[in-house]
Amino acid sequence: MSRVPDELAAAGLDPAEVQAAIDRALAEDVPTEDVTSVATISADARGEGVFGAREAGTVAGLGIAALVFETVMGQTVTVTDRVPDGTRVAAGDVVMRVAGPTRGLLTAERTALNFACHLSGVATATAAWVEALEGTGARVLDTRKTLPGWRALEKYAVRCGGGLNHRMNLSDRALVKDNHVVAAGGVVPAYDAVRRAYPDLRVEVEVTDLDQLRELLDAGCVEILVDNMSTEMMSEAVRITGGRAKLEASGGLTFDRAREVAETGVDFVSVGALTHSVKVFDIGLDLMEG
């Protein structure tokens, strides 16, 4: 019996949803059979696939990759030497081995790598931001700028990299953005409207200038997003706030500015690029015939 579903559940993922994502990916890649492997490899051939990191970074999604092989090959596959998600690895490190029928190994290979390489890319990018902010007191947050259908997985990878998750969806908390402010007639009317409609829900409001910040602080808002502000303006926002609210910096933040922004004293730095522009992490599988 595979232990992977229990690991996923302990990590905050729904095993059934992960399995459904795997099933969709396999149906997309293997609608009938892997014709190349069937034609070129005998049914009784066995081999071992060695997953190696081809660059330094932080891995994530290896448990999901293992589950891909188990889905394709059932009890005929053996997975060993899998390093835990969130592990920092060096180029050349072996991160997992899979052994079983060669046809099955090659049929599952690409789908498994798609999960592991993309999620490891998210984790690696996140870890770099975490390292850049170290010692400032600021924490890195993700956003909802995720691949459709991959949000839970990508946000899991952010956690593997040491980052924090912002809201998972439009229902679990309120975030009043500039368009809501325009529609409601101001930051305070928008904040008050959410408080009346959902008195028990967390609410954060975006501001673009210091006057809006002052208005919200006077209204009792304790979570405020300072959007597209200069470093100097963010520093002033922190001074004005004086600990009365948590401040999240957002909007056009590049990695080169990470430390500079964090040192203003903001509590959080939100980075859409962790998911929407991530570079895949290079993991390769080398086949060794048994």
Side-chain angles (χ1 to χ4, degrees):
M1 180 75 68
S2 174
R3 295 176 297 177
V4 175
D6 290 338
E7 291 180 22
L8 297 176
L13 290 168
D14 182 339
E17 290 186 3
V18 174
Q19 186 63 59
I22 290 171
D23 291 343
R24 286 193 301 271
L26 288 171
E28 176 181 66
D29 204 36
V30 198
T32 55
E33 62 183 356
D34 175 2
V35 296
T36 311
S37 294
V38 168
T40 61
I41 301 168
S42 64
D44 60 353
R46 296 185 63 83
E48 179 183 70
V50 180
F51 280 83
R54 293 176 175 168
E55 59 182 317
T58 300
V59 293
L62 291 175
I64 298 168
L67 197 54
V68 171
F69 284 98
E70 293 173 4
T71 300
V72 170
M73 303 168 68
Q75 296 184 353
T76 65
V77 67
T78 302
V79 179
T80 58
D81 297 337
R82 174 165 60 90
V83 303
D85 285 354
T87 300
R88 294 200 176 195
V89 299
D93 284 355
V94 172
V95 297
M96 186 169 73
R97 299 177 191 270
V98 290
T102 305
R103 282 184 182 178
L105 294 177
L106 297 186
T107 296
E109 173 187 4
R110 175 44 51 196
T111 298
L113 284 171
N114 283 348
F115 280 106
C117 292
H118 179 70
L119 296 179
S120 294
V122 173
T124 297
T126 304
W129 276 85
V130 170
E131 184 175 356
L133 303 186
E134 187 174 358
T136 66
R139 299 291 303 275
V140 64
L141 293 172
D142 56 22
T143 72
R144 287 171 40 250
K145 296 175 182 177
T146 55
L147 291 173
W150 276 66
R151 180 168 297 165
L153 296 177
E154 290 184 335
K155 284 180 173 281
Y156 163 69
V158 167
R159 299 195 298 274
C160 289
L164 300 177
N165 295 149
H166 202 272
R167 56 181 179 163
M168 292 294 294
N169 52 60
L170 291 172
S171 301
D172 64 10
R173 62 185 289 193
L175 175 54
V176 177
K177 303 280 283 181
D178 53 353
N179 286 332
H180 301 106
V181 170
V182 170
V187 289
V188 173
Y191 171 69
D192 288 342
V194 176
R195 288 268 55 88
R196 288 192 302 270
Y198 303 100
D200 298 323
L201 202 64
R202 287 177 61 186
V203 55
E204 181 178 11
V205 182
E206 175 185 290
V207 300
T208 55
D209 61 53
L210 298 180
D211 287 338
Q212 291 179 326
L213 174 69
R214 292 186 182 95
E215 291 175 31
L216 279 173
L217 290 170
D218 290 342
C221 184
V222 296
E223 294 186 63
I224 301 174
L225 186 152
V226 290
D227 187 55
N228 282 301
M229 288 188 178
S230 66
T231 304
E232 294 74 19
M233 188 179 289
M234 273 189 266
S235 295
E236 181 64 8
V238 171
R239 188 194 68 78
I240 291 169
T241 301
R244 288 180 287 169
K246 296 292 186 182
L247 296 182
E248 173 190 340
S250 182
L253 302 182
T254 62
F255 187 75
D256 291 341
R257 287 187 67 205
R259 186 82 186 182
E260 172 188 318
V261 169
E263 287 178 343
T264 65
V266 295
D267 300 284
F268 304 105
V269 176
S270 58
V271 185
L274 297 181
T275 51
H276 72 58
S277 298
V278 69
K279 173 183 174 293
V280 298
F281 183 75
D282 192 1
I283 299 173
L285 183 147
D286 293 319
L287 180 67
M288 300 180 182
E289 290 193 72

